[in-house]
Amino acid sequence: MNEIRRETRHEIRLRVNGVTYELRVPARRLLSDALRHDLGLTGTHVGCEHGVCGSCTILADGEPVRACLLLAVAATAHEITTVEGLAGPDGEPNAVQRAFAECHGLQCGFCTPGFLTTVTAGLRRDPCPTRDAAREMIAGNLCRCTGYQNIVRAVERAAELESAQEPAR
Amino acid sequence: MKPAPFDYVRPDRLADAVAALAAPESKVMAGGQSLVPLLSMRLASPSLVVDINGLPGLDAITVTSGGVQVGALARHTAVLESPEVARVQPLVPMALAHVAHATVRNRGTTVGSLVHADSAAEMPVVLSLLGGSIEVSGPAGRRTIAASELFVGPLESSVAPDEIALSAFFPALPPGAGVAFDEIARRHGDYALVGAAALVEGERIRVGYLSVSDVPTVVDLTGVPAADRAEAALEQLDPTGDIHATAAYRRTLVRVLTDRVVAAATANAQGGTP
């Protein structure tokens, strides 16, 4: 325990979902753990913890990255968006969240936050993906229910929903 | 699966970063996409992590008629999506498309992947095949390390512990030359069971292999009849078996990929799409 007490803690500011948080963390705190344990934002799920499964995917400056492969102390320069930040200001689910519900893309739900963040950013880059592009978009995320068919459908449905609401955005 | 304690600094001047690296057991972190898993699994336990993300100017990608220079903080995605890079050296984006998944490429750096020196990774083979180099800075100043001197063992590069890689240089594709890249992985984006990159320049044919040996290996197949190329390559390679593929299966993949990438690079040289 002595060794742990001696560990230097860093005062950092994290911008998450538009809110600035001040926290004290050791350098080894992974961003995924800082979000969950220090900030209580437990929507970001932790699966493999070495960058393979994609469950912890968050957006840094709008682009998907693995929260388990980023140190919290190294994330201070970025605007972080977690699954909690995807919904609209009124709490209305975004098009991707609605599409996952409609198409039963959630299954057990554990991998869902990573898929939702990945697809939300992916559709910004490619608003009208082909089926192959939809598969490629989610290729870095693992679903242990192997529910990929419904998830691919949900990506396509989300693209439809977003294009339908385009004029309002 | 949590890292052991370490000290952390994020200098904003190169001199400070080099000075920090004088500490024993220190380690440079750029994108961290290979380092953080090693930390979490405690396969690496540096006493100090020197985060170079605060150093200015290292994210530049400079393209000239001579080649592509990639700064140490240029993310894979930025290199992959640069039309200038694709024009001057198309093998770079061809191979980068196979580097992990988009999410990891958004953070991971091409130079970091080179100095990590994983023989299962794509970019070390590309740098070796093209005869590229990296520039590093250390207490004794700057020096250039040729790819042929860079990869010395499994996950071991000749960059000294107190040196920081600043950039990598990929020479341009000569006029009339062609390149191709292909790999077989269990899932696109995973580490390849075997991968191969080819450079065809007139009569000259060279092929680089990943996930076959401890270091990226380039084989010269110039003058070898087409039907004998794969066996000629295998004479210089010694594929080993592991949990993912037997040695015999890797030999099969070397045969398949050698013919495939040489054909594609030849077509690419003749102006076709690889």
Side-chain angles (χ1 to χ4, degrees), chain B residues 116-130:
Chain B
H116 185 58
D118 190 339
S119 68
E122 290 80 3
M123 300 321 286
V125 166
V126 169
L127 196 80
S128 299
L129 178 67
L130 298 176

Side-chain angles (χ1 to χ4, degrees), chain B residues 49-147:
Chain B
V49 168
V50 180
D51 181 348
I52 61 168
N53 283 281
L55 300 183
L58 286 187
D59 60 349
I61 301 168
T62 312
V63 182
T64 63
S65 57
V68 175
Q69 190 183 32
V70 177
L73 289 175
R75 312 292 162 179
H76 291 305
T77 301
V79 184
L80 173 61
E81 293 181 348
S82 161
E84 291 79 22
V85 171
R87 184 170 47 79
V88 169
Q89 185 42 270
L91 184 58
V92 169
M94 280 177 194
L96 276 172
H98 293 271
V99 175
H101 300 282
T103 308
V104 171
R105 293 195 296 266
N106 285 338
R107 183 74 189 165
T109 64
T110 302
V111 172
S113 166
L114 292 170
V115 297
H116 185 58
D118 190 339
S119 68
E122 290 80 3
M123 300 321 286
V125 166
V126 169
L127 196 80
S128 299
L129 178 67
L130 298 176
S133 60
I134 65 166
E135 192 189 15
V136 301
S137 180
R142 295 190 181 202
R143 66 179 180 124
T144 300
I145 308 175

Side-chain angles (χ1 to χ4, degrees), chain A residues 25-165:
Chain A
V25 293
R28 61 177 166 147
R29 178 82 90 243
L30 304 174
L31 178 62
S32 45
D33 290 332
L35 293 170
R36 291 179 57 84
H37 303 306
D38 297 310
L39 305 185
L41 295 169
T42 52
T44 298
H45 287 181
V46 171
C48 72
E49 291 207 278
H50 60 279
V52 173
C53 78
S55 287
C56 69
T57 304
I58 50 97
L59 306 182
D61 303 324
E63 293 297 336
V65 296
R66 304 274 200 253
C68 77
L69 296 190
L70 207 52
L71 301 177
V73 285
T76 53
H78 303 286
E79 191 75 31
I80 305 296
T81 307
T82 66
V83 69
E84 288 95 340
L86 295 183
D90 50 359
E92 183 71 14
N94 78 2
V96 179
Q97 291 170 311
R98 278 183 282 139
F100 268 68
E102 268 185 40
C103 301
H104 191 45
L106 292 93
Q107 313 232 82
C108 90
F110 187 82
C111 66
T112 304
F115 275 101
L116 294 176
T117 48
T118 303
V119 174
T120 298
L123 288 177
R124 270 186 224 134
R125 278 180 163 250
D126 182 1
C128 191
T130 62
R131 176 150 294 197
D132 278 351
R135 288 180 182 281
E136 176 66 23
M137 191 184 291
I138 58 170
N141 295 62
L142 296 180
C143 163
R144 278 181 247 191
C145 313
T146 67
Y148 297 105
Q149 303 307 325
N150 292 345
I151 295 172
V152 172
R153 262 182 231 120
V155 176
E156 293 172 325
R157 178 64 182 142
E160 279 175 25
L161 290 172
E162 288 205 332
S163 68
Q165 72 185 22

